[in-house]
Each structure stands twice: as C-alpha cells, then as structure tokens.
Amino acid sequence: MSDVTMEATTMLPILKKKLAFLSGGKDRRSGLILTIPLSSDQTSMEELSATLDYLLSIPSAKCKARGFTVIVDGRKSQWNIVKTVVLMLQNVIPAEVSLVCVVKPDEFWDKKVTHFCFWKEKDRLGFEVILVSANKLTRYIEPCQLTDDFGGSLDYDHSDWLNKRLVFEKFTKESTSLLDELSIINDSDKSSSVDKEKSADSALLPSFDPETVLQTGHELLSELQQRRFNGSEGGGGGQGGPTWRPMEEELLAQPQVMKLLDSLREQYTRYQELCRQRNKRTQLDEIHTKVMQVVTWLQGPGSELLKTHQAIGDSIRAAQALQQKHEEIESQHSEWFAVYVELNQQIAALLNAGEEEEVVELKSLQQQLSDVCYRQAAQLENRQNVLQAAQGFHSTTQELSQQLDGLLGMLCADVAPADGASIQQNLKLLEEKLQTVEAGLTSLRQKGALLLEQMCSQPQWSLEETESPAGEQQDNVQHIQAVMDEMQLRKQRCEDMVDVRRLKMLQMVQLFKCEEDALQSVEWLGELLDALLKTHVRLGDDSQETRTMLDKHRKFVDVAQSTYDYGRQLLQATVVLCQSLRCTTRSSGDTLPRLNRVWKQFSVSGEERQQRLELALNFHTAAERVLQQECVEAEFLDEVDSSGKTLLDRLTTPVIFPDGSEQYFGSPSETAAAAEGVRERLLLVEERRLQLQGAGPHNEDDEVLNVQESRLDVIGEELSEKEEQEEEEDEVEEEVEVEVEEEEVGQQDEELDRATQDC
C-alpha cells in the first residue's frame, strides 16, 4: 500500500462506482469488514486497487492491527475474476487480511476445483480463503454486522458516506493549511521591523476564512458525535441490537477533528489579538491625522467664512439669500462635523480598551477636537438664529404692510350694503382686519426685539475681527427701529379711519334693524289678525265661560295695540336715521301704510268680536236667569228669544273692512257649531216656556202640546234654513276672498307709488 496521502476528490468518479467499501461492520475479532461487490460487468483491477488503497488509508494503525475480513461478493461475477481479485489482495493488503469470504453463486462453480486452488495457495497468500453461500455467511460474521445485501441489518449509504468523507477531507486540508498560515503570521509578529509594518496588510490575510473553516469543523464534529451517539459502543450484538454506522470514530478519526479544531481556535485567537493590536496602532495614527485635519480647517477657512458674513438684509428676499449662503457654509461644516462624530466614536471605543499610555494621548486629542468643534458649532448656531430672526422680522413686516394696504383699501371703498346682515358682516370683517393689524404690529415688535437680542449676543471675536462691526451693527439697529416706527404710524392712521367708519356702519345696522323690526311688527299684527278671524269663533257655553273669553279678548287686543305702537316707534326711528345717514330713498316707504291697514282691519275685527262676546254674555245671563227661576214672566222669555235670534243673525254677518272687503270669523263648520250652542239654549228656554204654560187647566194639555210641537217645527225649519244659508255663504265667501285679494294688490300698488313719491 502506498504511503502517499490520497484524497477522495482526486478519485471521486472511481469511488462513486462502489467497487469496494467499508460498511462499518466488524467480525468477531473486532476487525473491520471490507466488502468487494463484483458486478457482471468487467471490473477494472486498476480502479479496484486504487479504491482499496484509499479505503485502507482511512483506519488507524490500531484498527488495522486487528485485521480485516474481506467479503468478495462473486454472485454476479465469473470465477476467474474472483480469483484475480483474491490474488490481488495479496499484493494490496497481505498483512491486514485475516479472512477472505468469497460469496459464491449457487451451483455455478466447480466446488472441488475452486476449493483445491485456494487450499493449494493458502501458504503463499498468507490468509485463509473460504467459499460460502450468502445465507451461510452468518457462520463467520454476526448478522448485525452485515449489510442487507447479505441478509444482515447493518445500514449503509455509500453516497452519504462519500459526501461526509469529502467534507472531512476538505476540512482537514483547509484547517491544516490555515494552521500553517496562522502560525507563520503569529510568529512573524515577534520581530519588529519597518518592513513588517509595511507588509502588515498582506501578511494578515490567510488563504481561508477562519470563521468559515471553524464553522465547517463544528458542523462535521457535531455530525460525527451524533452518529456515534446513535451507534453502539460494543463490538457485536444480536440481530435486535443497534447497527454500526460507517462514520464511526475509527473511520473518520473524530479525535483528529477535535484536535484540529482546538489547534485552529488557539491560533485564530492569537491571530485575532495580533490583528487587534495592529489595528489599534493603525487607528491611533489615522485618528491623529484626521483630528489635525478637522482642527486646521475649522480654525482656518471655516472661521473666515463666518467672519465675512454678518449682514441681516433689508428685505425678506435679501434675508433668504443670506440664509441660502449660510446653508452652504453649514454644509461645508457638516462634512467636517461628521468626521468629528466618527472620530469621537473611535476615540471612545479605544479609550475603553486602550492601555495607559494610549489613554493620555487619546484624551488630549479628544479634548482638543471637542473644544474646536463645539466653539465653531456655537458660532454657526448663533448666526443661524440671527438669520432666522431676520427672516421672521422681514416676513412679518411684509405681511403687516399688506394687511395695512388691505385695511386702507376697505376704508376708502363706499359702503353700500343690501341689508343689516351684510352690514354686520362688513363691520365684523373690518374689526377682524383691525385686530389682525394690531396682532401683526405686536408680533413685529416682538420679532424686532428678538432680532436685536440675537444680534447683540454674537461672539465678541466676530465683532472685533470684522473690519467695521460697529458701523454695520448700528445700521442694522437703525433699520429695524425705522421699520417698526413706520408701521406704528400707518396703523394709527388706519385706526382713526376705522373709528369713523364704525360709527357710520353701526347707524346703518340700527337702521336696517329698525326696518326689519317694523316689518316684523306688521307680520306679527297680521298673524294676530289671522288668528282672531280663524280661531276666535266660540262664544262660550255659559255666562262664566263667555265672560272669561271676553277678558282674554281684551288682553289679546292690548297685545295687538302694543305691537302696533312698537311698529310706529320703529318707523319714526328709521326716519331719524335716514336723515342722519342722508339716505334719500329706502325700501321701507310702504311699511307704514301696511301697518295702518292691518291695524284698521284688526280694530274692526276686534270690535266685532267684542260685540259678539257681549251679546253672547247677555244671552247666556238672561237664559240662565230664566232657567233657574221658578216663576218667570213671559216678557223675560221673549227677551231671551229676541237676544238669541239677534246673536244668531250676528254670527252670519261678515266683518266689513274699511276698504270694503269682507271676512268671516272661522270656517262655516265652526260658525255652525257656535250657532248650534245658541240654538240648544233657545230650545231649553222654549221647554221652560212650555213647562210654565203646563201649569194651567188640565183640559188645555192638548193645546199646549200642539203649541210646543209647532214651535219645535219652527226651530227645526230655522236650523235647516240656517244650514242652507251657510252653504251659500261659503260659496260667496270664496268669491269675495278672490276679489279682496285683487283689491288689496291694487291698493298696495297705489300705496307703494304714493310712498315712493313722498320719499
């Protein structure tokens, strides 16, 4: 067997053919079982020899010392090939083979010839060769150590074994190479020279990534340990015992993997420490260089930029231009501030893990850098505050000027509102504009004071080193004060004009309010008239109720009178306001005629209603006296009949207005209901008359009954005639209403023309 190390990758196509394999099974002497499965195809002896050389290079010397049991599966092959393979074993592994089991096919070979040949060359071969059938192989090897090809229970996956073998060899190769490189790198750090520092970057880069190699080794070790845990620690078991896996400790050298991992971790730890030290030295140099760059720029060009830009501008556009320029300056500073932040973080990290001599240097650099950066940042912030205050001041000045222009334009325009609501809206808008101007002026004063304060708080170095700081500062202050004084003067002039306009608009509001209230009083009076004519129809069922209704009617009339008087007062006020405002024409000229017309109609209707209630009160009072007294004279009965008929006639009479139009109280059904109450009282009085007449001689009963029936017939006829008359009155009333409406429209047109001419 060759001593040259063999790799699976160089002979992967041959190994995939499975010409021979170590299944992981053991014989009764704990020797490994080597299986050679011959196929019906011609087997290449060179490839088989190479496969055996590779497989025999895997086990340790201790394992090889126990000897191998070789199973040559010749069931699918010819005898001469089997014989060649057996003879080849003498050249490949003569010392390691202890037993060769040739699995023969059933009755295909000449048993005597084959047995005699192997027996004759036994001494020359150096190992025992037996011919055995597959079912009798268990006489020499336990079933649990045989694969399923020979009726055993041992599980073997050649592809899986080959994949794991490739991983193992790859890890072994990479880890060994990496160990050599890390050892050279770590040892090279012991000598200090300039050349070593110049080539530090290239010398600190191994060929393989240590993290990746370590991860591969840990995964491989975990797989080996898992396989060992799943296998058996003993050498042989029965059919029911656990089977051996082919990736056992003796096959894949688990201790070798562990040893490589330990060595690799040790060297990698040293390598990391070496890199950390070199990186720290490099970082210190880089930090010192960058710190000096930042300090030099901030104290030089950065400070000059701030010193040469101190103006605040005289308008919003100028202030915006200065702000844009300042943003450019800030952008230049931001790049260096970003370097400062990065350097500060690096210094802080090095301070936490640095040595004593490094800490002193780092703290000195950090303090110097922080002082310069904070001072420059404070100057930038102060300049930014001044520019923002200037923009706010100029912006407020521009807005206030526009607001004053708008207020002045509103004051110069003529006031020609259509109604009181628009006057109120204009007055509200005027007050809002004035409040806005006042708020704007207050804001301007505040922002001017803030700007002056910001300007006075600028760094002394900036004012001292500028060519003419005092003159420029004084000009800025005078400009700010002049702007505020001008705005104050414009605002005062507008306030004086607003006072005059406010008085005029308030008078106009009062005028429109009086006109609206006067129209409202006309509407109210019309509603009272409408309610009087449509709902005040009942006359009461007795004297007490009628008296109450009469009192309510008088109060109702008093309310109407107050409404009329209120409307007259409002119209008189409108005349005075029109004279004050010099309004020659107003739309309220027809209000007074309408008010007088409605009041006259209400007066006539109210008087008619009062007369009816008084008649009803007299009727109910007389009827109740007749009905309650035991002895009543005939003239009292006649008086009740007369007053009742008069009241009935009055109910059917319409109200005649001064313009000649007529109007009935309520609907015909309501009038009929009121008349029905009166008729019922008349019937009661008539019954009382009959009762009094019934107190005479008994022989006059028939005559009395006849008279009673005749009077009832008369009353019934009167009721029928009354109903027919009411139906006719309804028709006439509809015609009259149409005519009245036409007349009212004509009269309103005439009164409107007269009122217009009067105005």
Side-chain angles (χ1 to χ4, degrees):
M1 183 178 62
S2 176
D3 294 335
V4 180
T5 303
M6 306 180 68
E7 295 183 1
T9 54
T10 60
M11 51 184 304
L12 185 59
I14 299 176
L15 292 176
K16 286 183 177 180
K17 294 181 179 181
K18 197 180 177 182
L19 300 177
F21 62 88
L22 290 169
S23 64
K26 294 183 179 181
D27 56 19
R28 290 185 173 89
R29 300 185 308 275
S30 296
L32 295 177
I33 298 176
L34 175 63
T35 305
I36 303 176
L38 298 177
S39 62
S40 58
D41 299 334
Q42 185 67 29
T43 302
S44 172
M45 293 299 113
E46 291 80 4
E47 293 181 353
L48 178 59
S49 177
T51 302
L52 293 176
D53 288 341
Y54 176 77
L55 292 176
L56 293 176
S57 66
I58 295 175
S60 62
K62 182 179 178 182
C63 183
K64 293 179 181 179
R66 300 192 192 106
F68 290 88
T69 295
V70 182
I71 300 176
V72 180
D73 188 2
R75 291 176 293 180
K76 298 180 181 180
S77 183
Q78 299 177 0
W79 165 246
N80 57 348
I81 296 176
V82 173
K83 181 179 178 181
T84 304
V85 171
V86 172
L87 293 176
M88 187 184 63
L89 292 176
Q90 180 186 15
N91 299 325
V92 178
I93 49 174
E96 288 83 359
V97 176
S98 58
L99 176 64
V100 177
C101 296
V102 179
V103 181
K104 62 178 182 176
D106 297 337
E107 299 180 356
F108 277 90
W109 294 340
D110 188 345
K111 295 182 180 179
K112 294 181 180 181
V113 174
T114 57
H115 185 272
F116 175 78
C117 290
F118 285 123
W119 174 81
K120 182 174 62 174
E121 299 187 13
K122 177 179 180 181
D123 295 335
R124 185 172 63 87
L125 291 174
F127 48 79
E128 182 181 1
V129 181
I130 59 174
L131 286 167
V132 63
S133 300
N135 56 359
K136 293 181 180 181
L137 193 59
T138 54
R139 294 179 181 179
Y140 307 96
I141 303 173
E142 295 294 338
C144 64
Q145 305 300 323
L146 293 173
T147 60
D148 56 356
D149 294 335
F150 305 109
S153 60
L154 180 63
D155 185 20
Y156 174 76
D157 186 347
H158 188 70
S159 297
D160 181 67
W161 172 86
L162 186 56
N163 291 333
K164 294 300 184 294
R165 187 64 192 175
L166 291 172
V167 173
F168 169 75
E169 291 184 356
K170 180 177 181 293
F171 167 72
T172 304
K173 179 181 179 181
E174 291 181 354
S175 60
T176 303
S177 176
L178 184 59
L179 279 173
D180 295 339
E181 293 180 1
L182 292 179
S183 178
I184 294 173
I185 294 173
N186 293 334
D187 293 340
S188 65
D189 188 58
K190 295 179 181 179
S191 58
S192 56
S193 64
V194 179
D195 295 336
K196 180 200 69 172
E197 293 179 358
K198 292 182 178 179
S199 61
D201 295 338
S202 60
L204 290 178
L205 295 177
S207 302
F208 301 100
D209 181 20
E211 295 288 345
T212 304
V213 176
L214 283 172
Q215 182 180 359
T216 304
H218 285 298
E219 292 175 355
L220 177 60
L221 182 60
S222 176
E223 180 67 21
L224 293 176
Q225 291 173 345
Q226 182 67 24
R227 289 175 174 271
R228 181 173 178 81
F229 176 77
N230 291 336
S232 171
E233 296 296 335
Q239 286 287 346
T243 59
W244 285 99
R245 303 290 293 178
M247 300 295 286
E248 197 206 351
E249 177 184 359
E250 293 178 337
L251 294 177
L252 287 180
Q254 180 178 342
Q256 182 181 356
V257 176
M258 296 177 64
K259 182 178 179 181
L260 286 172
L261 284 174
D262 293 339
S263 301
L264 190 58
R265 278 193 292 266
E266 179 183 358
Q267 291 293 334
Y268 184 49
T269 302
R270 291 179 57 193
Y271 170 76
Q272 287 178 319
E273 179 64 22
L274 173 63
C275 292
R276 190 183 66 82
Q277 293 294 336
R278 291 186 177 181
N279 288 336
K280 183 183 295 185
R281 287 192 294 270
T282 304
Q283 283 181 346
L284 284 174
D285 296 339
E286 292 178 353
I287 287 174
H288 186 273
T289 302
K290 291 182 179 179
V291 166
M292 297 313 297
Q293 290 177 351
V294 173
V295 170
T296 301
W297 191 89
L298 292 179
Q299 291 181 342
S303 297
E304 288 298 325
L305 286 173
L306 289 176
K307 292 176 184 178
T308 55
H309 292 84
Q310 296 297 319
I312 62 171
D314 57 356
S315 64
I316 182 64
R317 181 174 299 178
Q320 290 175 350
L322 291 173
Q323 175 65 33
Q324 185 176 0
K325 181 62 179 178
H326 180 72
E327 290 176 356
E328 295 176 359
I329 297 175
E330 280 187 334
S331 177
Q332 298 178 31
H333 280 77
S334 298
E335 298 176 0
W336 293 99
F337 287 153
V339 177
Y340 158 71
V341 173
E342 182 181 356
L343 289 174
N344 201 30
Q345 294 175 351
Q346 294 177 3
I347 292 174
L350 292 176
L351 285 174
N352 294 330
E355 299 179 359
E356 184 175 356
E357 60 274 8
E358 297 173 352
V359 170
V360 176
E361 180 183 359
L362 288 172
K363 285 187 175 181
S364 176
L365 288 173
Q366 187 181 39
Q367 187 64 40
Q368 181 184 7
L369 182 63
S370 298
D371 291 343
V372 174
C373 289
Y374 277 114
R375 184 168 60 251
Q376 196 75 1
Q379 295 167 3
L380 282 172
E381 183 179 5
N382 185 270
R383 175 60 179 168
Q384 177 65 28
N385 292 336
V386 170
L387 289 176
Q388 288 181 351
Q391 287 189 67
F393 177 79
H394 294 312
S395 176
T396 305
T397 301
Q398 182 176 339
E399 292 177 1
L400 181 58
S401 179
Q402 293 174 355
Q403 292 167 0
L404 288 169
D405 292 341
L407 180 58
L408 183 61
M410 184 176 180
L411 292 171
C412 294
D414 294 334
V415 181
D419 51 23
S422 60
I423 287 288
Q424 290 282 7
Q425 185 67 26
N426 290 337
L427 183 58
K428 181 180 179 182
L429 180 61
L430 186 64
E431 296 291 347
E432 289 177 353
K433 283 184 174 294
L434 183 59
Q435 292 177 2
T436 302
V437 168
E438 292 177 352
L441 184 59
T442 303
S443 176
L444 181 65
R445 293 195 189 99
Q446 294 175 352
K447 292 184 178 180
L450 177 62
L451 177 57
L452 292 174
E453 180 182 355
Q454 293 290 344
M455 291 170 58
C456 294
S457 64
Q458 292 186 67
Q460 294 299 322
W461 66 266
S462 177
L463 297 177
E464 292 173 358
E465 297 181 9
T466 307
E467 293 182 358
S468 57
E472 187 174 3
Q473 182 84 348
Q474 188 65 28
D475 292 342
N476 292 334
V477 172
Q478 292 177 357
H479 172 72
I480 295 170
Q481 194 62 47
V483 169
M484 291 192 292
D485 293 342
E486 180 186 359
M487 293 297 123
Q488 176 64 36
L489 183 61
R490 291 180 61 186
K491 183 252 184 184
Q492 186 62 46
R493 289 198 298 265
C494 287
E495 277 186 345
D496 297 339
M497 298 177 67
V498 167
D499 292 338
V500 177
R501 178 58 63 87
R502 184 188 296 111
L503 178 60
K504 182 177 181 180
M505 295 180 74
L506 288 176
Q507 289 180 344
M508 296 186 70
V509 169
Q510 188 175 4
L511 173 62
F512 279 113
K513 181 63 177 175
C514 290
E515 292 177 349
E516 292 176 1
D517 291 346
L519 291 174
Q520 185 65 48
S521 64
V522 174
E523 293 179 2
W524 287 345
L525 197 59
E527 292 174 357
L528 292 175
L529 175 61
D530 189 61
L532 176 63
L533 293 174
K534 292 184 178 180
T535 61
H536 293 203
V537 181
R538 291 186 67 253
L539 300 176
D541 297 333
D542 52 33
S543 61
Q544 182 65 32
E545 184 179 3
T546 303
R547 188 174 289 106
T548 302
M549 296 177 70
L550 185 59
D551 293 339
K552 291 183 178 180
H553 174 71
R554 289 171 181 155
K555 295 179 180 179
F556 186 76
V557 173
D558 292 340
V559 172
Q561 180 69 48
S562 300
T563 304
Y564 172 71
D565 295 340
Y566 177 65
R568 293 279 300 184
Q569 294 173 1
L570 292 172
L571 290 174
Q572 291 176 0
T574 58
V575 173
V576 175
L577 290 172
C578 283
Q579 293 175 354
S580 175
L581 294 172
R582 299 177 182 178
C583 296
T584 57
T585 58
R586 294 300 305 162
S587 61
S588 59
D590 62 340
T591 306
L592 181 59
R594 290 176 56 192
L595 180 64
N596 292 331
R597 182 173 64 254
V598 176
W599 172 244
K600 290 178 181 179
Q601 292 177 352
F602 183 86
S603 299
V604 173
S605 302
E607 184 178 356
E608 176 64 23
R609 173 64 177 169
Q610 183 172 354
Q611 292 177 2
R612 292 186 182 186
L613 288 173
E614 290 175 352
L615 286 174
L617 179 61
N618 294 333
F619 169 72
H620 286 304
T621 302
E624 290 172 357
R625 183 173 64 250
V626 168
L627 294 174
Q628 292 174 359
Q629 293 179 356
E630 295 182 358
C631 296
V632 181
E633 295 182 1
E635 59 182 10
F636 290 115
L637 295 174
D638 295 338
E639 181 181 351
V640 173
D641 288 340
S642 176
S643 61
K645 291 179 181 179
T646 302
L647 182 58
L648 289 174
D649 293 338
R650 196 64 176 263
L651 289 175
T652 59
T653 303
V655 180
I656 301 176
F657 295 139
D659 58 359
S661 60
E662 297 180 353
Q663 182 70 37
Y664 288 90
F665 278 95
S667 63
S669 59
E670 292 175 341
T671 304
E676 185 65 24
V678 176
R679 294 190 187 99
E680 290 177 355
R681 268 298 171 94
L682 289 174
L683 289 175
L684 292 176
V685 172
E686 189 64 28
E687 290 177 359
R688 179 63 175 166
R689 182 193 299 274
L690 294 177
Q691 290 177 359
L692 294 175
Q693 293 176 358
H698 182 69
N699 55 7
E700 297 179 356
D701 290 343
D702 295 338
E703 184 179 355
V704 172
L705 292 174
N706 293 330
V707 173
Q708 184 177 1
E709 290 178 357
S710 63
R711 292 183 66 84
L712 292 174
D713 292 339
V714 171
I715 293 173
E717 292 176 357
E718 291 178 354
L719 291 175
S720 299
E721 292 176 356
K722 204 69 174 178
E723 291 177 355
E724 293 177 357
Q725 184 178 1
E726 290 175 354
E727 292 178 357
E728 294 177 357
E729 289 175 353
D730 292 339
E731 297 177 357
V732 173
E733 182 179 358
E734 293 179 357
E735 297 177 356
V736 169
E737 288 179 354
V738 173
E739 295 176 356
V740 169
E741 291 179 357
E742 294 177 353
E743 292 178 359
E744 288 180 352
V745 171
Q747 291 175 0
Q748 290 178 359
D749 294 339
E750 293 176 359
E751 292 177 358
L752 181 60
D753 294 337
R754 289 197 299 272
T756 303
Q757 294 174 0
D758 294 340
C759 293

